Amino acid sequence: MKRIIFTFCLALIAFVSIQAESFTGDIIVTFNGENYPAVVTVNITPNEKGLYDLELQVPVIDNLTVNMYDVPAARNGNVTVYSAVRDVETPYGSMRTSLFARSVDGFAAANLAIEQYGVTMWFNTVGDHFQLPNSDMEAWTNSNGEPDRWHGFKTATGTYAGISAGLVKLEQSDDVRSGATGHSAVMTANSLAGIVANGTMTNGRLNAGSMSATSTANHAEMDMANGTDDFYMPLYAKPDKFNVWLKYTQGTASANNKASVSVKTFDGTYYQEPCDKEYTNLSGSIVGTPIPAGDWTQYSFPFDYDSYAANNAASEAIFVTFSTNGNPGQGSKNDALYVDDMELVYLADMTDLRYQGTTIEGWDPAVTAYTMQLTSVPSLDDFTADVTGASAVVTKSMEQNEDGTYRIAISAIPGDLQNATCYVITATVASSFKRGDVNNDGTVNISDVTSLIDYLLSNNSEGINMQAADVDGNTTINISDVTSLIDMLLSGNVN
């Protein structure tokens, strides 16, 4: 019988009772190089053992039902991980199946593999919740001509919104990077009475409140309380990088004029750029450089959270603004900034994995399976890990296999649950036994003779220490071991 051990690392994991959960989402089943998509429901139910039973119906494989029982769970903060390898009974026979599932705040993702048949399954309810909507600039269903969920001056507020809407353009473009198809967004600067109006696009809302280009009454803003879903973008985890493709051209060539990208994470209360005061509700910002004139280039900007730690602000929203010039009113007419294919990157890179403070032998982040020979039963407190990622967490669980080895699963989970990695250590513990202690009670006496005779008569090994029962050491347990054990007791030669 498989035994499960719930000894979680107190420094990293607070294990709490997990209620039954049900997730309905997309699954892609891959078999023989072909992908078969479907919508399925995964049910996870706690059982009387303190473990979890998982049920999944796979309609694309003759309505195959995958039931996995007694799966251990590990929790770190609000992230829960289920990891196990089981023989799953199906109408087609027993199938060796591995599971690596994780969930956070109602979102879930899971990898399953039926090993001997080469079937893999990828399930998730995440969708694009951890990404910027319409990040590829392909959706332009808004009647105002702006890209969906992104805004220029046509949807601006403020006294001069009408003038700005007719002056500064945000349009769809067929100019895309090499190797891409579809569309991009382009914002173009204009001028009025010698004043340059910078082309701007934001996922918040623009306000045109002044004829002075440098006035902070002209700004982009976002506010959870006053904005609608169209002008507010929630954030579910801290990203580590912001990737985007950009192309910048100038109406009048100048090395001093450069476009700008601003990305801020904040608590969702009012924030604007350019700022009219010091805001303490920021939690993070990208570390970017001004964008020089040039052809399509992919930029990757890391997020800085450390500089905003003193604000103690939650990361509830993300605010993105592009402009044809980093300085209001600067640049020239017809400066144009093209934007396409944005991506928020969430890291969970395990850089070191240690047992009792020492890096495990052969450690390589690209290798996920290890074996260890130990001298004592392991504890999860023995295993520690280093992982990068602003919202990454580490979870750990351990179970004892039927062959007596231990399966330790240590997982690195990114904020978006996507590119999670499970490192599995199979540990063998060198057995220590007292020769002749057949019933394994720590003492060699006449009861061990009785236990050994009972085993020989019934062939029932329950409660029998088989190594200790081989009293004469010839690797075979028979009547001669009974004789040797009696001789040990009579002679007093008991170790």
Side-chain angles (χ1 to χ4, degrees), residues 52-68:
Y52 296 85
D53 301 331
L54 178 142
E55 179 188 52
L56 167 66
Q57 191 83 19
V58 189
V60 295
I61 309 181
D62 296 330
N63 286 317
L64 171 68
T65 298
V66 176
N67 288 314
M68 298 189 74

Side-chain angles (χ1 to χ4, degrees), residues 373-410:
Q373 297 287 331
L374 306 179
T375 58
S376 61
V377 174
S379 164
L380 287 182
D381 290 337
D382 294 331
F383 295 91
T384 54
D386 294 334
V387 62
T388 60
S391 53
V393 298
V394 173
T395 65
K396 301 184 289 183
S397 65
M398 181 167 66
E399 60 181 328
Q400 189 172 10
N401 299 315
E402 293 176 353
D403 63 0
T405 60
Y406 293 85
R407 181 181 186 272
I408 300 100
I410 303 177

Side-chain angles (χ1 to χ4, degrees), residues 84-124:
V85 179
R86 298 285 186 270
D87 289 323
V88 174
E89 296 302 324
T90 76
Y92 310 101
S94 179
M95 296 183 176
R96 192 71 167 171
T97 303
S98 62
L99 164 73
F100 176 37
R102 52 271 185 200
S103 65
V104 58
D105 296 339
F107 299 108
N111 302 87
L112 292 95
I114 301 176
E115 297 175 0
Q116 64 266 48
Y117 293 98
V119 175
T120 61
M121 308 180 202
W122 164 246
F123 169 85
N124 86 95

Side-chain angles (χ1 to χ4, degrees), residues 2 30 85 101 141 166 182 232 254 360 456:
K2 184 170 293 188
T30 302
V85 179
T141 59
Y232 178 80
S254 171
I360 64 174
L456 291 173

Side-chain angles (χ1 to χ4, degrees), residues 235-238 265-268 283-284 305 313-317:
L235 189 65
Y236 298 96
K238 289 182 177 179
T265 61
F266 66 112
D267 66 4
S283 63
Y305 295 103
S315 297
E316 299 289 343

Side-chain angles (χ1 to χ4, degrees), residues 128-183:
D128 64 354
H129 287 90
F130 293 88
Q131 293 296 326
L132 298 166
N134 196 22
S135 60
D136 58 3
M137 297 288 112
E138 293 303 319
W140 293 73
T141 59
N142 286 333
S143 59
N144 58 33
E146 294 179 342
D148 293 2
R149 302 301 300 274
W150 296 87
H151 311 287
F153 283 100
K154 289 182 179 179
T155 49
T157 58
T159 305
Y160 299 98
I163 297 174
S164 300
L167 186 66
V168 185
K169 296 179 181 179
L170 172 58
E171 299 172 303
Q172 186 182 75
S173 173
D174 294 330
D175 188 340
V176 296
R177 61 183 174 86
S178 176
T181 60
H183 306 95

Side-chain angles (χ1 to χ4, degrees), residues 394-447:
V394 173
T395 65
K396 301 184 289 183
S397 65
M398 181 167 66
E399 60 181 328
Q400 189 172 10
N401 299 315
E402 293 176 353
D403 63 0
T405 60
Y406 293 85
R407 181 181 186 272
I408 300 100
I410 303 177
S411 304
I413 314 298
D416 63 352
L417 303 180
Q418 296 292 303
N419 297 313
T421 307
C422 184
Y423 296 89
V424 176
I425 299 170
T426 301
T428 301
V429 179
S431 61
S432 60
F433 65 95
K434 183 180 291 187
R435 189 165 63 97
D437 183 16
V438 179
N439 60 11
N440 211 31
D441 65 355
T443 303
V444 180
N445 52 32
I446 193 63
S447 66

Side-chain angles (χ1 to χ4, degrees), residues 249-304:
T249 62
Q250 295 177 326
T252 301
S254 171
N256 295 324
N257 294 330
K258 296 180 180 181
S260 69
V261 180
S262 171
V263 184
K264 297 290 193 297
T265 61
F266 66 112
D267 66 4
T269 60
Y270 183 88
Y271 177 74
Q272 72 169 62
E273 284 190 349
C275 297
D276 56 343
K277 63 176 184 179
E278 181 179 355
Y279 285 86
T280 59
N281 59 346
L282 296 179
S283 63
S285 175
I286 64 165
V287 180
T289 56
I291 308 302
D295 205 350
W296 283 103
T297 303
Q298 186 181 38
Y299 292 86
S300 184
F301 302 115
F303 277 87
D304 170 23

